[in-house]
Amino acid sequence: MQRLVFWLVYPFLWLISILPFRLFYLFSDLVFLVVFYLVGYRRKTVFENLQLAFPQKSGTELKKIRKDFYRHMVDMFLEMIKSLSISNEELKKRFKFTNIEEIQKIRNMNKSILLACGHYASYEWMNALQLYGLDYKGFGVYKKVKNRYFDQLAKDIRGRYDGVLISTTRATKVITENERKGIRGVYAMIADQSPKISRAKAWTNFMGVNVPVFLGLEHLSRSQDMVVVYLHVQKIKRGYYEASFKTISYEPAKEPQFFITRNYFDKLEEQIKQEPRYYLWTHKRWKHRNASMSRDAVIIKD
């Protein structure tokens, strides 16, 4: 059944991916109308999240942000499909890195990088980094897709740029083994997800709300002596992005406890407050805000 679903859907994905950009974004406009007005996909969740994050804004303001967000979300989802056929030259033109020298500086230190990303602007085209000729292997830590054929498709897309996807369940093992072998890499991790409440061992303030957080950046960077860099992505205009590297720490083991985690959320929060329409408001990031913390849980203060 998984194979059948894949082969029924894949031809349509390919046709979408080869549309000229003008038609591509016209198609995105049509999909937006369906998703926002007809389907109403998670509209209530998005509005509730915005109310939590921006209690000072009026209902009219929040509704405008919500509508702008859906336009962006549909664009970004389709841009992921565009990755099936986009040329290297076009990708590099549409997703630019402004200070690539920072990555080269870290490479010269003979250290690997934990590239801390958020669900902000675009994280689908950041594999353009592999087109800059850096002496680094690129890895993306991701949540495995249930359909194994679509999961393989995601890996193949990244493979076009010599990148490798690692499932979240294998990330620590793979990174540790690579470091032991002296294989230096850039590991992109989206670190703002919500852990299961049974595994919530750390909480912090995110957009004014106390929520559980993952500590993967903290633990891996300290144990493996990896540099932590925040990927600051901005949407310049429709279909065009600029990314800059903001180093959080060159030597995480020497930082105060939870410095890495708090600094990451501070940088992400700053971007969200500036342009809230580009954050992924459909995920239930604040769903555990009223849950009780376990006795051994820690609170990471601002």
Side-chain angles (χ1 to χ4, degrees):
M1 180 58 74
Q2 286 188 351
R3 176 182 287 185
L4 176 62
V5 171
F6 175 78
W7 287 114
L8 285 174
V9 173
Y10 180 77
F12 293 102
L13 299 181
W14 178 256
L15 287 174
I16 293 169
S17 79
I18 62 176
L19 288 173
F21 272 100
R22 182 171 175 274
L23 292 178
F24 177 81
Y25 284 113
L26 282 175
F27 177 71
S28 181
D29 289 338
L30 291 175
V31 175
F32 159 73
L33 294 175
V34 173
V35 171
F36 187 74
Y37 289 106
L38 296 182
V39 178
Y41 173 69
R42 290 196 174 184
R43 281 181 55 162
K44 183 179 178 182
T45 296
V46 171
F47 194 76
E48 289 175 350
N49 283 343
L50 287 169
Q51 284 180 309
L52 283 171
F54 299 101
Q56 75 283 5
K57 292 186 181 294
S58 68
T60 301
E61 290 176 302
L62 296 179
K63 287 178 180 178
K64 185 182 186 307
I65 294 171
R66 180 177 66 177
K67 190 173 182 179
D68 290 344
F69 155 71
Y70 274 93
R71 291 186 184 278
H72 167 70
M73 181 190 72
V74 173
D75 275 0
M76 189 178 66
F77 174 76
L78 291 176
E79 286 165 1
M80 175 182 66
I81 296 173
K82 191 69 174 175
S83 299
L84 288 169
S85 62
I86 193 171
S87 69
N88 291 356
E89 293 75 19
E90 189 69 32
L91 179 62
K92 197 172 180 180
K93 181 175 72 174
R94 288 177 173 271
F95 198 100
K96 294 182 178 180
F97 292 92
T98 62
N99 61 334
I100 202 74
E101 64 276 3
E102 177 65 11
I103 299 299
Q104 187 58 56
K105 172 184 175 180
I106 298 169
R107 183 67 186 93
N108 293 339
M109 296 168 63
N110 193 31
K111 288 190 173 186
S112 291
I113 297 172
L114 283 179
L115 192 60
C117 310
H119 284 96
Y120 188 86
S122 176
Y123 39 88
E124 294 299 340
W125 282 351
M126 65 182 177
N127 47 20
L129 180 61
Q130 295 297 108
L131 302 176
Y132 282 78
L134 297 168
D135 184 24
Y136 263 130
K137 186 74 173 178
F139 299 87
V141 179
Y142 82 117
K143 187 175 182 180
K144 194 171 183 179
V145 181
K146 290 182 180 179
N147 185 308
R148 62 190 179 98
Y149 297 97
F150 283 107
D151 188 71
Q152 186 58 50
L153 177 63
K155 292 179 180 178
D156 291 342
I157 291 173
R158 268 58 178 190
R160 286 183 56 199
Y161 309 100
D162 197 32
V164 177
L165 287 184
I166 312 169
S167 67
T168 52
T169 56
R170 298 183 62 246
T172 299
K173 180 179 179 181
V174 172
I175 293 172
T176 302
E177 185 66 16
N178 283 349
E179 287 300 298
R180 186 183 66 81
K181 293 178 179 178
I183 300 173
R184 302 295 178 237
V186 177
Y187 298 87
M189 302 177 66
I190 298 179
D192 57 341
Q193 299 101 323
S194 179
K196 292 182 179 180
I197 195 63
S198 60
R199 299 180 181 178
K201 300 301 181 185
W203 296 65
T204 197
N205 183 296
F206 180 42
M207 296 300 295
V209 184
N210 198 41
V211 294
V213 294
F214 282 109
L215 293 176
L217 288 175
E218 195 87 29
H219 294 328
L220 277 170
S221 62
R222 287 175 177 274
S223 65
Q224 303 302 319
D225 191 28
M226 302 169 73
V227 177
V228 183
V229 178
Y230 177 74
L231 185 66
H232 184 278
V233 184
Q234 292 178 291
K235 189 170 187 175
I236 306 305
K237 60 180 180 179
R238 196 175 198 184
Y240 289 86
Y241 304 88
E242 282 188 359
S244 57
F245 303 104
K246 296 183 178 294
T247 299
I248 293 176
S249 179
Y250 294 108
E251 297 182 285
K254 295 183 179 181
E255 304 290 0
Q257 191 177 32
F258 306 125
F259 171 86
I260 303 297
T261 302
R262 187 60 254 171
N263 201 292
Y264 162 76
F265 278 102
D266 285 344
K267 292 184 183 303
L268 176 58
E269 197 171 298
E270 181 182 3
Q271 283 200 274
I272 295 171
K273 288 178 178 178
Q274 289 177 351
E275 287 282 6
R277 56 184 164 166
Y278 297 140
Y279 189 60
L280 188 64
W281 296 103
T282 49
H283 66 168
K284 298 181 180 180
R285 182 62 189 87
W286 292 272
K287 62 184 177 182
H288 296 314
R289 63 187 182 278
N290 295 320
S292 299
M293 291 185 290
S294 62
R295 291 184 178 180
D296 58 342
V298 297
I299 298 177
I300 302 173
K301 297 182 180 181
D302 294 350

